[in-house]
Amino acid sequence: MPPSPDSVAQTLRSAPVPVHATPVVRADAPRGTALLGQALLLGVSGDALLRAGPLGPALVAWIAVLALAITSLTWQAGRRVPGEAAAWIATSVLFAALTVWRDADVLRPLDVLATIGALGLAAIAFRDERLGLWAPRLRDTLWAAVAIIASTARGIVPLALRELFASERGSARTRSLRLVVRAALIVTILLLVFGSLLRSADPIFASLVSLPDVDYGEVASHVVLAGFFAWITGGWAYGALVSNPNSVRAPDRLPFALGMLDVTTALGTLTLLFAAFVAAQLGWLFGGERFLHETTGLTAAVYARQGFFQMVAVVMLVIPVLLGTRVLLRPGAALSRRHTKLSIPVIILLGAIIVSAALRMQLYVRYYGLTTERLSTLVFMGWLAFVLVLFAVTVLRDRGRSFVAGSIVSGLLTLVGLHLLVPDVVVARVNIARTATASSDSALDIRHLSWLSGEAAEYAIMATLARPSATEGSEARFDADEARCEAALTLLNRWGPASRTADERARDGAWRSWNAGEAHALRAVGDQASALRRVQHQTCGPTSRARRANRAAQAAAPL
């Protein structure tokens, strides 16, 4: 006898509904209390080490503590440290150590960015080895990176609240400890907030109730800084070790795709535009200054000052365009071949633009000398040229898995090469050699040399102490003396025995932010301090002060 409709409905209502949702926390996650303890340790150590400054040996020590903490949490969870994660942790320690080596302003921020990037890639590898740098699809790595960033931004507070108020979990000892910690926090907060207000409100009550005589502003600054480091490191570790990697996955299909007309229009437009630009560059390359003046009315010196950074931006923007259009292609061999055929002319023309930018740089150095920013940008463009070649031999041949890895590794190696090259030293040598040639009619910019990093201090001292060749009493001699005066003052104020830097190096705990390039400059200027003071007394007379005051007044006057 078949069941009645009512009995079937009753069975369906009473049957459990299957749940297919992916758990948020992975099964092999470390204990929440252990993660909170490590985050607190990292917060306190971050406050103790990095309060004086985020660079130097203190950063290396803190990154080492971070590496030990993440390794300990991984082992506590019964997991092994992935090889790629260990490599990225070591890379983060390396680039943190590079902040101790060089004093160059252009390198130290890049070292910090490389350190943060390596820690992010390490977190992705801890989260899931399959999503690391060698993931089959770039979108999988990007989705994992977004998950790590979101977890770091959320911080450790959600986990802390869950652990503090989850009294029903864990052993009896753990539950008792939670209750004690919660009660202590409540009592401390209430006493500090309301007790301070009531003591301020009534002197009689203040005489009866005494609170610790502490600098609450100083205590608050320590709490805020330690809390910040605990927040970000706890969130970073949560995303790497606790959050389930299967809860956030890249979609199998992107929301939109490009067809034949889209690819042809986009890459064909770039090809025509770049071809027209390269053709225009051939005019000044072969026509020289006469062609420039007839076409634009500009001299070669004025022409050399503009356009370089814009060409760098073009090369930098086109690479993601080529990569993005390749990723968004609809399935089909014919469309992939069309994209490859249209990308090759764009890459060739970009190579010509890179050559044009290098020639523009050569023209700039001829008239104005070299600067650290332009040299670093030129090196960056050279790395972009390598990335273009790598794109052609990997992505355009459907071997895109190694493109991202090759680009990142080559970028880090380029940064290491810049530390070996020392951009500020190269700038000093090039500018000194440029003014030493017989064909040069430009004076050495000693002011610029004096503001270079500590590694180039010897070159600035040598140029400042050298006597100018201008005729006595001439305008050029006055300009040279004024430049030597300002350079001597700058060197003494930056690196002299009475400078602020020397005072900071003599303070307790100065080892936290010690730097080899800075120490080199302090020794070099200290050895020549008396000679630099002589130059200062000889060149910084009343005439020089009057000229500087007049120049400052002219600069401040409205147009």
Side-chain angles (χ1 to χ4, degrees):
M1 180 178 178
S4 65
D6 292 339
S7 62
V8 172
Q10 180 67 27
T11 302
L12 291 176
R13 283 194 296 267
S14 61
V17 179
V19 178
H20 302 287
T22 303
V24 177
V25 177
R26 61 193 305 161
D28 56 351
R31 297 193 312 273
T33 52
L35 198 153
L36 285 174
Q38 295 290 2
L40 180 61
L41 171 65
L42 289 166
V44 173
S45 61
D47 174 66
L49 291 171
L50 304 179
R51 169 169 288 273
L55 303 177
L59 178 62
V60 185
W62 190 72
I63 295 296
V65 174
L66 178 63
L68 293 174
I70 194 73
T71 303
S72 173
L73 289 171
T74 305
W75 288 345
Q76 287 181 21
R79 296 163 53 187
R80 67 176 183 85
V81 177
E84 183 178 340
W88 285 121
I89 289 291
T91 302
S92 68
V93 175
L94 169 64
F95 281 96
L98 290 180
T99 64
V100 184
W101 187 17
R102 298 303 186 192
D103 177 57
D105 292 338
V106 73
L107 295 180
R108 303 184 82 185
L110 294 177
D111 292 335
V112 175
L113 288 177
T115 302
I116 295 173
L119 290 176
L121 290 169
I124 293 174
F126 274 113
R127 183 181 178 89
D128 192 341
E129 292 183 72
R130 298 168 298 176
L131 303 180
L133 202 58
W134 297 94
R137 299 186 308 178
L138 175 60
R139 77 184 75 164
D140 293 325
T141 305
L142 292 178
W143 251 255
V146 171
I148 294 296
I149 294 172
S151 178
T152 305
R154 285 195 301 269
I156 203 63
V157 171
L159 178 63
L161 293 177
R162 190 175 68 190
E163 289 296 326
L164 284 176
F165 293 95
S167 301
E168 70 281 358
R169 294 205 311 264
S171 62
R173 182 178 179 181
T174 302
R175 291 196 298 268
S176 300
L177 181 62
R178 287 196 186 102
L179 292 174
V180 171
V181 172
R182 284 160 48 183
L185 286 175
I186 293 172
V187 171
T188 302
I189 293 173
L190 292 177
L191 285 178
L192 287 177
V193 173
F194 292 102
S196 299
L197 291 174
L198 291 175
R199 289 181 79 252
S200 302
D202 187 74
I204 300 177
F205 181 77
S207 64
L208 298 175
V209 179
S210 62
L211 293 177
D213 186 14
V214 296
D215 186 350
Y216 290 103
E218 181 72 14
V219 172
S221 68
H222 284 282
V223 170
V224 169
L225 190 58
F228 169 76
F229 287 115
W231 179 291
I232 60 172
T233 54
W236 173 80
Y238 186 90
L241 300 178
V242 178
S243 180
N244 193 335
N246 296 318
S247 60
V248 179
R249 282 287 187 181
D252 294 330
R253 297 182 62 183
L254 295 174
F256 60 91
L258 299 179
M260 191 73 72
L261 180 61
D262 302 319
V263 171
T264 304
T265 302
L267 299 185
T269 301
L270 290 179
T271 300
L272 293 176
L273 180 63
F274 293 166
F277 182 82
V278 171
Q281 300 301 293
L282 296 176
W284 77 264
L285 182 61
F286 294 102
E289 188 166 359
R290 180 179 178 182
F291 174 84
L292 282 175
H293 187 71
E294 292 176 354
T295 307
T296 64
L298 302 175
T299 62
V302 176
Y303 182 74
R305 292 179 63 91
Q306 57 190 17
F308 175 77
F309 292 104
Q310 289 85 342
M311 287 188 282
V312 174
V314 167
V315 178
M316 185 173 60
L317 291 174
V318 169
I319 293 176
V321 169
L322 293 176
L323 182 61
T325 53
R326 188 75 177 194
V327 171
L328 293 172
L329 290 180
R330 292 174 182 167
L335 188 55
S336 296
R337 288 195 296 269
R338 172 66 64 87
H339 185 273
T340 299
K341 291 179 181 179
L342 291 175
S343 296
I344 290 175
V346 173
I347 293 175
I348 294 174
L349 291 170
L350 280 176
I353 292 176
I354 291 174
V355 173
S356 176
L359 294 175
R360 189 82 64 94
M361 169 64 70
Q362 184 181 16
L363 193 63
Y364 177 88
V365 172
R366 174 185 168 189
Y367 287 100
Y368 300 105
L370 189 60
T371 62
T372 306
E373 292 77 11
R374 287 184 175 263
L375 175 62
S376 302
T377 308
L378 186 62
V379 173
F380 176 69
M381 180 169 274
W383 173 70
L384 289 179
F386 172 81
V387 171
L388 278 173
V389 175
L390 185 65
F391 179 87
V393 300
T394 56
V395 176
L396 295 185
R397 298 175 64 189
D398 294 326
R399 300 176 182 175
R401 181 175 179 179
S402 58
F403 171 72
V404 176
S407 300
I408 293 176
V409 172
S410 63
L412 295 177
L413 291 176
T414 301
L415 182 54
V416 173
L418 280 174
H419 284 78
L420 298 173
L421 190 69
V422 193
D424 286 328
V425 172
V426 174
V427 168
R429 289 175 177 174
V430 168
N431 288 339
I432 291 174
R434 167 180 165 269
T435 55
T437 58
S439 59
S440 176
D441 55 355
S442 300
L444 179 63
D445 190 351
I446 304 177
R447 298 181 183 89
H448 179 245
L449 288 182
S450 66
W451 281 106
L452 294 178
S453 66
E455 289 84 4
E458 288 181 341
Y459 297 93
I461 294 170
M462 178 183 65
T464 304
L465 297 181
R467 289 187 172 275
S469 58
T471 305
E472 187 74 28
S474 65
E475 185 68 20
R477 177 59 184 271
F478 282 124
D479 291 339
D481 285 344
E482 185 176 352
R484 294 175 68 209
C485 165
E486 294 183 15
L489 287 173
T490 300
L491 290 170
L492 290 171
N493 289 335
R494 293 182 69 195
W495 316 111
S499 64
R500 179 180 178 183
T501 306
D503 291 340
E504 291 176 351
R505 291 299 126 234
R507 294 177 182 175
D508 294 336
W511 65 270
R512 295 182 180 90
S513 57
W514 183 87
N515 181 266
E518 184 182 83
H520 173 79
L522 289 171
R523 288 193 302 270
V525 175
D527 293 341
Q528 298 292 337
S530 59
L532 289 171
R533 291 193 190 97
R534 253 192 326 267
V535 171
Q536 175 187 349
H537 294 318
Q538 293 171 358
T539 58
C540 298
T543 304
S544 177
R545 287 195 295 269
R547 287 164 62 89
R548 288 201 305 275
N550 185 44
R551 179 180 296 178
Q554 291 178 354
L559 298 177

